[in-house]
Amino acid sequence: MPKELVLWYSTPAKDDEWESKSLPIGNSYMGASIFGGAIYENKHREKLTLTEKTFWTGGPSELRPDYRGGNRNEQSYKSTKAVQEALANGEKDKVKELLSALTGGGDGYGAFQTLGNMYFTFDGIDETVDYKRKLNLANGSASVCFKNGGEYHRREYFASHPSAIIASKFITEGGTHSFSVSMDNAPEGAEFLNTEGEFAMFGKLADNGLEYYMTVKLHTDGELTINPVGVKNATKTIIYICAATDYANVYPNYRSGKRPSDIVYDRISAAEETRYGAVWLEHQADFVRLIDRASIDLGAEIIEIPTDVLLEKYKSDEADKNEKLLLEEMYFNYGRYLLISSSRGDTLPANLQGVWNNTNTPPWSSDYHINVNLQMNYWPAYVTNLAQTAIPLIDYMESLRAPGRVTAAEYFNIVSDEENPENGWIAHTQSTPFGWTCPGWDFYWGWSCAAVAWLCQNIWEYYEFTGDKELLGEKIYPIMRESARFYLQWLIYDQKQDRMVSSPSYSPEHGPVTIGNTYEQSLIQQFLSDFIEASKVLELDEELREKAEEIKPKLNPYHVGIRGQLKEWFEEDTDGFDTSEIQPNHRHISHLLGLYPGKAISQSTPELLRAAVVTLNERGDESTGWARAYKLNLWARTGDGNRAYKLLNGLISGSTFPNLWDVHPPFQIDGNFGGTAGIAEMLIQSHEGYIHILPSLPFAWKGHGSFSGLCARGGFEVSCEWSDGEIERIEILSKNGGICRVKTGDDILEFETEAGKSYSL
Ligand code: FUC
């Protein structure tokens, strides 16, 4: 039975502490951040910041009749060709001059919006004694409770995925509660409708005409008030919140044609009919089923300490062993909690802030960055037994194919037509819910030809971990096949390098523009490996596979430099190589993707592994949130558990807010997900054709610990217990049957399994 891990605080979050202290709940469609009630104009006021994941500006609009996902010139491919030639001829000035053509527009990019802040302003609450604000990771709920004189107040909140609503119950014992509902930071031009027991907000976004509707319904044993909407003298009030838009991820219009109010009232009425208790039980069953699938126990005992105090102790190195382990266990499960809460069902994937947002101008638009961030969001999905959280990612990639064909045609002259309708798609560094696939508006961060190859790795792993051939055939493979067509047409032969190359290439946000950098070569090579495998599994596309088999070895991505480092650029260490833009500690470490999440650099390639370690040491351990998480995974793959642990320490101490959200800064959720994946990667790996148990167990975790339900490629679910660093028990559930290989210590054990059977070792 997993531990009941709870984040808790003895104070509310202040108005301006959304990113650092509010507590997130979400059902993937909607998010709410709970502040817990502060005194405002002499009254106790609960604050909730609300979001709906599809509530975005940008995209097609009457204001932008020419919207084309940022693609701005049908003949940009001519510039691409010219840059390729200039690069091959070493004409650096010409390259610089031409690069501005390899950019996209910015008009209509848009941003993730907030629905605003909802307030419940109470009468008669003068004090909050014995105050506790909690986020229960075990059952997916938040709560606030305190005493006010002789009254006991408790408010509970949860976001139900099956009901697609946010529900709350306010209870008062020894007295009553009276409150009114209001909002601020609502969308500009929003209209409000107050009726008995209901507060509704609706409108159209001025930018793109996106329609939205949100309503808050109250059921109480007290009296309902209308102006303002609220309740009086109640001991119990039930609140349902639901919001929807008319967005649909369908190119090129991106509208569903459905009325958001219909969606909202269908959901709310269903919940009203089911009643609160049953909605809660349904949510419980749904949430617990997922969160309980995997757990880790590093040996910590639960102690009574507020999470912000615990974090402070951890940061100042005053935490004792138990406190440290407790926070690490919590960090692991928090990542899983956030993924369950922000990525399920028929909606968009988790964005840079998951599904939470308090502003209409969030950093990087809170978009889908695909030169590391979106990929990292899904790193914990498979290994921590939450494969279905990746479905929104797969669907999102599918939705980018149609607009991505436009970008492939315009910038690469890879054209889909009636004869070849799926001839290749591509996307670059950043994307939106409205099919934004062009390069960014500045080449130096915006060009990222390998982004799609990298994303394909994420979705191919769905099959590797689950063995779900049906989903592979239906959803994953078609995306991979069209991506393969793109890359096989895009790569060109470079005489000087005697390789097939991606050119021009740009290592994410770092260094000079070159031919065939390690980032692009390695990701495309890994992708071709995966594509070959996928086409074999499905016995499809022999011709395309043969082409991939022929090209794959010619990419030759990895090269060791004079310091023993793994080179980021092929031309590195040669005369005339432009080092002016190189930052030794740059946060991106894109040339090590073959080590993690890729498979090309591993224990079985010791020379490359050594070079990767040199590179990791050169880059250093300090960085932004996601970059620390990135290096944690990389170190875990090297087998150096203590160093991986150091990175985990740095991530928690240096890049974590009191609500345990990751700090880039600002808040960016990728680091949470990367951190969770990294912890799993220290405990189990399966990228070398066998399951490696405790591959990177740090000294700090050696005592006594266990994990259960972590997943390995091949469809295996693994549990393990250890003492003094020695494995005491392993249990492997084979979901699909087949051969199981397990490495413990130096030996690899191999045995045949039957589907559905567990094996104890
Ligand atoms: C990548 C990073 C930035 C930031 C942004 C959202 O491009 O280089 O640091 O995380 O994504």
Side-chain angles (χ1 to χ4, degrees):
M1 186 63 193
K3 277 178 211 161
E4 185 167 305
L5 294 173
V6 176
L7 273 60
W8 72 271
Y9 304 83
S10 54
T11 51
K14 297 197 186 92
D15 255 358
D16 59 355
E17 292 179 328
W18 172 78
E19 72 170 0
S20 59
K21 295 201 176 152
S22 71
L23 295 177
I25 58 169
N27 59 20
S28 178
Y29 305 107
M30 282 190 77
S33 315
I34 290 135
F35 283 66
I39 297 296
Y40 179 78
E41 291 181 345
N42 295 325
K43 287 192 171 180
H44 177 87
R45 187 176 80 159
E46 173 64 295
K47 175 175 176 178
L48 261 54
T49 299
L50 298 168
T51 46
E52 203 279 351
K53 215 204 261 135
T54 67
F55 196 41
W56 265 76
T57 52
S61 162
E62 278 175 17
L63 298 177
R64 287 182 291 272
D66 300 330
Y67 176 82
R68 295 171 60 247
N71 297 300
R72 33 178 209 112
N73 179 348
E74 288 183 9
Q75 306 218 327
S76 299
Y77 64 87
K78 291 187 176 160
S79 304
T80 310
K81 265 263 144 316
V83 172
Q84 279 178 343
E85 279 164 21
L87 270 170
N89 297 334
E91 298 166 294
K92 288 185 185 159
D93 292 341
K94 195 165 173 196
V95 169
K96 274 199 185 126
E97 221 170 88
L98 287 165
L99 286 180
S100 62
L102 301 193
T103 54
D107 191 27
Y109 192 74
F112 182 35
Q113 305 290 287
T114 179
L115 289 167
N117 302 314
M118 170 149 293
Y119 299 102
F120 301 93
T121 305
F122 289 82
D123 286 329
I125 296 182
D126 311 311
E127 53 181 21
T128 52
V129 176
D130 295 340
Y131 178 94
K132 257 193 178 182
R133 183 168 59 109
K134 292 190 197 170
L135 186 66
N136 187 324
L137 305 183
N139 69 14
S141 70
S143 63
V144 178
C145 58
F146 56 85
K147 286 184 199 135
N148 172 47
E151 298 165 4
Y152 171 74
H153 291 265
R154 179 179 157 82
R155 304 193 284 263
E156 58 191 36
Y157 303 92
F158 65 94
S160 158
H161 183 69
S163 302
I165 57 157
I166 289 173
S168 178
K169 181 156 85 173
F170 294 1
I171 303 162
T172 306
E173 287 165 16
T176 60
H177 57 252
S178 301
F179 65 83
S180 60
V181 183
S182 63
M183 280 197 75
D184 71 8
N185 205 23
E188 214 179 302
E191 293 183 61
F192 297 91
L193 188 67
N194 291 359
T195 49
E196 193 176 75
E198 182 173 357
F199 177 98
M201 174 181 90
F202 53 92
K204 277 185 185 185
L205 283 177
D207 173 78
N208 59 12
L210 189 81
E211 287 184 37
Y212 58 91
Y213 198 99
M214 178 177 86
T215 195
V216 182
K217 286 261 260 189
L218 309 173
H219 294 267
T220 183
D221 64 359
E223 297 154 45
L224 291 168
T225 61
I226 296 187
N227 278 316
V229 170
V231 307
K232 275 199 177 350
N233 307 321
T235 65
K236 185 171 111 181
T237 302
I238 305 284
I239 301 168
Y240 296 123
I241 307 174
C242 187
T245 74
D246 68 346
Y247 171 83
N249 197 359
V250 183
Y251 176 78
N253 295 323
Y254 297 98
R255 294 296 182 277
S256 67
K258 289 187 195 148
R259 281 172 23 170
S261 56
D262 290 346
I263 303 171
V264 162
Y265 286 115
D266 277 356
R267 291 175 179 170
I268 293 256
S269 324
E272 282 172 333
E273 255 166 55
T274 314
R275 303 181 75 89
Y276 184 85
V279 175
W280 163 248
L281 287 178
E282 184 190 36
H283 164 67
Q284 273 276 282
D286 173 68
F287 181 86
V288 171
R289 180 174 58 87
L290 292 176
I291 200 90
D292 277 2
R293 279 209 194 140
S295 66
I296 63 167
D297 182 349
L298 303 174
E301 268 176 42
I302 293 187
I303 44 162
E304 275 290 295
I305 179 169
T307 306
D308 46 353
V309 178
L310 182 61
L311 180 66
E312 270 317 307
K313 286 182 94 173
Y314 195 100
K315 285 184 180 187
S316 57
D317 212 17
E318 280 165 19
D320 63 29
K321 193 174 166 204
N322 187 63
E323 288 167 335
K324 277 191 162 177
L325 296 174
L326 181 62
L327 192 54
E328 288 152 11
E329 285 181 18
M330 228 182 236
Y331 196 91
F332 173 78
N333 241 20
Y334 192 46
R336 300 182 67 245
Y337 168 88
L338 292 171
L339 195 57
I340 296 169
S341 306
S342 65
S343 184
R344 295 178 63 197
D346 182 16
T347 187
L348 294 163
N351 62 38
L352 286 172
Q353 296 177 173
V355 61
W356 297 280
N357 183 22
N358 72 335
T359 165
N360 293 330
T361 52
W364 289 280
S365 296
S366 193
D367 66 5
Y368 297 100
H369 255 64
I370 51 181
N371 67 358
V372 64
N373 319 83
L374 183 60
Q375 286 90 343
M376 187 179 285
N377 280 4
Y378 290 89
W379 284 354
Y382 311 119
V383 66
T384 81
N385 216 334
L386 296 174
Q388 67 269 66
T389 60
I391 300 292
L393 175 70
I394 298 171
D395 291 342
Y396 182 64
M397 284 177 67
E398 172 60 35
S399 79
L400 292 181
R401 281 167 75 197
R405 276 175 213 136
V406 178
T407 301
E410 297 201 0
Y411 291 82
F412 302 87
N413 201 22
I414 294 174
V415 180
S416 296
D417 52 23
E418 260 171 46
E419 227 169 273
N420 282 312
E422 297 182 5
N423 193 35
W425 71 288
I426 193 66
H428 286 268
T429 304
Q430 51 175 21
S431 67
T432 70
F434 301 107
W436 196 276
T437 48
C438 67
W441 42 89
D442 182 314
F443 178 91
Y444 290 95
W445 53 259
W447 182 268
S448 197
C449 272
V452 165
W454 191 352
L455 275 174
C456 281
Q457 198 177 321
N458 276 75
I459 62 172
W460 163 246
E461 288 193 341
Y462 187 104
Y463 173 76
E464 285 197 310
F465 276 86
T466 63
D468 186 339
K469 231 175 170 173
E470 214 175 293
L471 197 87
L472 177 67
E474 269 171 27
K475 287 192 167 198
I476 298 167
Y477 183 74
I479 301 172
M480 293 177 78
R481 174 174 51 202
E482 191 172 5
S483 310
R485 289 190 185 128
F486 174 86
Y487 287 112
L488 291 171
Q489 291 174 82
W490 162 240
L491 296 168
I492 50 167
Y493 178 71
D494 183 85
Q495 204 142 25
K496 261 191 234 148
Q497 301 188 358
D498 189 24
R499 304 186 294 168
M500 292 300 284
V501 292
S502 173
S503 171
S505 70
Y506 191 64
S507 200
E509 303 174 52
H510 188 211
V513 182
T514 65
I515 298 173
N517 64 37
T518 308
Y519 167 73
E520 297 187 21
Q521 299 292 110
S522 65
L523 282 175
I524 297 171
Q525 190 180 60
Q526 178 72 55
F527 166 66
L528 291 181
S529 291
D530 298 343
F531 168 72
I532 291 165
E533 191 62 33
S535 79
K536 280 187 190 159
V537 169
L538 297 172
E539 295 176 37
L540 290 171
D541 303 304
E542 213 177 305
E543 219 176 290
L544 194 65
R545 185 197 318 148
E546 277 168 12
K547 179 103 194 276
E549 277 165 344
E550 182 207 322
I551 301 291
K552 193 188 122 182
K554 297 185 179 164
L555 281 153
N556 191 13
Y558 303 107
H559 301 273
V560 178
I562 50 179
R563 300 183 309 280
Q565 86 280 18
L566 197 87
K567 288 209 244 172
E568 185 162 1
W569 305 274
F570 185 86
E571 301 87 336
E572 200 175 322
D573 295 337
T574 59
D575 282 345
F577 178 66
D578 177 9
T579 55
S580 60
E581 301 294 328
I582 293 176
Q583 298 169 33
N585 306 115
H586 197 274
R587 62 193 180 287
H588 284 273
I589 185 163
S590 313
H591 42 322
L592 295 195
L593 289 166
L595 176 60
Y596 183 93
K599 302 183 187 121
I601 305 174
S602 68
Q603 306 293 340
S604 48
T605 60
E607 200 193 326
L608 290 181
L609 188 63
R610 265 197 303 278
V613 168
V614 171
T615 293
L616 273 166
N617 279 320
E618 287 190 346
R619 272 297 210 265
D621 296 341
E622 303 291 312
S623 205
T624 63
W626 63 256
R628 292 184 197 261
Y630 200 164
K631 290 176 199 164
L632 155 60
N633 285 279
L634 290 165
W635 277 112
R637 280 273 170 102
T638 68
D640 187 341
N642 288 335
R643 190 65 175 266
Y645 186 70
K646 184 175 174 233
L647 267 295
L648 175 64
N649 260 251
L651 178 65
I652 297 177
S653 313
S655 302
T656 302
F657 282 123
N659 59 3
L660 304 192
W661 263 350
D662 172 66
V663 185
H664 178 48
F667 158 52
Q668 212 170 275
I669 208 158
D670 38 22
N672 284 106
F673 294 137
T676 293
I679 293 171
E681 207 61 29
M682 290 162 77
L683 300 173
I684 187 169
Q685 296 176 10
S686 61
H687 58 286
E688 293 198 80
Y690 52 81
I691 303 171
H692 192 174
I693 299 186
L694 305 184
S696 267
L697 192 71
F699 184 73
W701 295 351
K702 283 224 151 99
H704 185 86
S706 67
F707 64 77
S708 77
L710 293 183
C711 293
R713 290 167 183 80
F716 299 104
E717 227 179 87
V718 183
S719 301
C720 157
E721 203 177 323
W722 69 90
S723 246
D724 293 326
E726 298 294 321
I727 296 172
E728 295 207 318
R729 178 185 61 84
I730 297 174
E731 210 168 288
I732 299 180
L733 168 68
S734 169
K735 290 190 185 159
N736 308 326
I739 291 176
C740 180
R741 290 188 195 86
V742 189
K743 179 170 178 176
T744 59
D746 292 331
D747 304 323
I748 297 181
L749 202 74
E750 187 173 316
F751 54 96
E752 203 43 74
T753 67
E754 260 177 64
K757 273 206 169 166
S758 280
Y759 299 82
S760 298
L761 309 181

